[in-house]
Amino acid sequence: MQMIMKDVKTMTSKAYIVANEQQEMAVLRELDKNGNEWNDKRNATDFIPSEKSYVKFPYAIMSDRFIGWLSIDDAIVENYEIVYDGRKEEQMSDKYVVSQEFMDGLEEWKDYCFEEYGVAINSGSIEDLPIVVNAWWGDEVPDEENNNRLIAIIRWVNGEDVFEVEKPKKWVVRSIGLTDDDERYYVSIGKFMGLKRALNTYIINQATRFDTKEEAQSWANSHQEVFDVVDV
């Protein structure tokens, strides 16, 4: 996600309204790069507000003397200069988020159809859609959305930018519940005398990122769960 923020020179109190986890992490990484800290001296990315059950999107990350967060319904937000509003970004996005496998299949299908039929879209070429695309544009999708997805494929063939490839994901193991301090702990795989062992950390950036869900599950116990994070 490319973030566009206003250059605010006259005010030091700023607010970043985030509407999803991707925006949240982008803002926190930006604040971390600038050396901002939470009031308990933790680095910006060492505490992720949305992991708390009481923090709901969209919400505002505040950057003043220290980092803080507030519900966007809180009147205090009006005292801050809003330098980023992710709600607008979400509303503006009309692209379908698809896998790299989907896009590769679509590209191969288009090349094949031009070679076989001389055009990409006709009754024969639609029947030749790759399995991964057919699964996306299929019987389980409501008729109206099915039509929208077929139109999206046609628009893409005509050169329009209607698809966005999802970012690669990793998998992390964390505790199911919160500690008495309202924290979660994460699994970090380390080595002791040459053997791998699971260690606990309260800092998500120190957690081991597994390539597959199955690998992460192999390190989780009955009191832990696995969840996906965007690989950066």
Side-chain angles (χ1 to χ4, degrees):
M1 177 186 65
Q2 182 178 5
M3 301 183 60
I4 301 175
M5 302 180 185
K6 300 176 186 176
D7 183 16
V8 182
K9 298 180 180 179
T10 58
M11 297 185 65
T12 57
S13 302
K14 306 174 186 178
Y16 307 80
I17 297 178
V18 293
N20 54 49
E21 292 180 3
Q22 184 180 354
Q23 294 174 4
E24 177 185 47
M25 286 307 301
V27 169
L28 292 175
R29 282 195 294 268
E30 185 73 18
L31 294 175
D32 191 52
K33 186 169 63 176
N34 293 336
N36 297 87
E37 296 177 324
W38 295 93
N39 59 6
D40 59 2
K41 298 300 183 181
R42 279 186 288 184
N43 294 331
T45 54
D46 288 347
F47 172 67
I48 314 299
S50 67
E51 293 186 349
K52 304 301 181 184
S53 59
Y54 48 79
V55 180
K56 305 297 182 184
F57 290 113
Y59 77 90
I61 296 176
M62 328 304 293
S63 174
D64 202 335
R65 182 180 177 188
F66 296 107
I67 305 171
W69 71 270
L70 286 171
S71 164
I72 58 173
D73 296 325
D74 197 314
I76 299 176
V77 175
E78 297 179 0
N79 297 329
Y80 288 76
E81 177 75 10
I82 298 177
V83 294
Y84 173 73
D85 190 342
R87 295 171 299 179
K88 298 177 182 178
E89 186 173 302
E90 281 213 328
Q91 292 167 0
M92 290 171 59
S93 177
D94 59 353
K95 295 182 182 179
Y96 285 103
V97 178
V98 297
S99 67
Q100 186 62 57
E101 180 188 10
F102 179 100
M103 290 307 302
D104 291 344
L106 212 52
E107 290 281 2
E108 291 178 7
W109 167 79
K110 184 178 73 171
D111 292 343
Y112 167 79
C113 290
F114 273 117
E115 183 177 332
E116 184 73 12
Y117 305 110
V119 294
I121 301 292
N122 63 22
S123 58
S125 64
I126 291 298
E127 294 178 358
D128 292 330
L129 279 169
I131 294 176
V132 65
V133 179
N134 259 325
W136 176 78
W137 177 65
D139 296 334
E140 296 183 5
V141 180
D143 289 343
E144 183 177 352
E145 177 59 19
N146 234 339
N147 290 336
N148 291 337
R149 294 187 179 192
L150 177 58
I151 292 170
I153 293 173
I154 296 172
R155 290 173 60 196
W156 175 81
V157 169
N158 290 331
E160 293 188 48
D161 187 16
V162 295
F163 295 117
E164 179 180 344
V165 176
E166 62 184 355
K167 293 189 176 181
K169 293 181 178 179
K170 297 285 187 179
W171 296 87
V172 170
V173 180
R174 70 181 178 189
S175 58
I176 292 177
L178 300 176
T179 66
D180 293 338
D181 295 325
D182 203 24
E183 299 275 9
R184 287 187 187 274
Y185 66 82
Y186 305 88
V187 170
S188 175
I189 305 302
K191 279 191 175 182
F192 180 71
M193 297 183 67
L195 299 176
K196 288 184 177 180
R197 58 179 295 187
L199 306 173
N200 292 332
T201 176
Y202 290 102
I203 302 175
I204 188 172
N205 284 351
Q206 294 179 358
T208 297
R209 282 164 163 71
F210 298 95
D211 291 329
T212 66
K213 184 177 182 180
E214 292 71 23
E215 185 183 7
Q217 287 174 328
S218 71
W219 286 95
N221 59 38
S222 59
H223 303 291
Q224 296 169 330
E225 61 185 359
V226 302
F227 72 106
D228 58 303
V229 294
V230 175
D231 189 23
V232 294

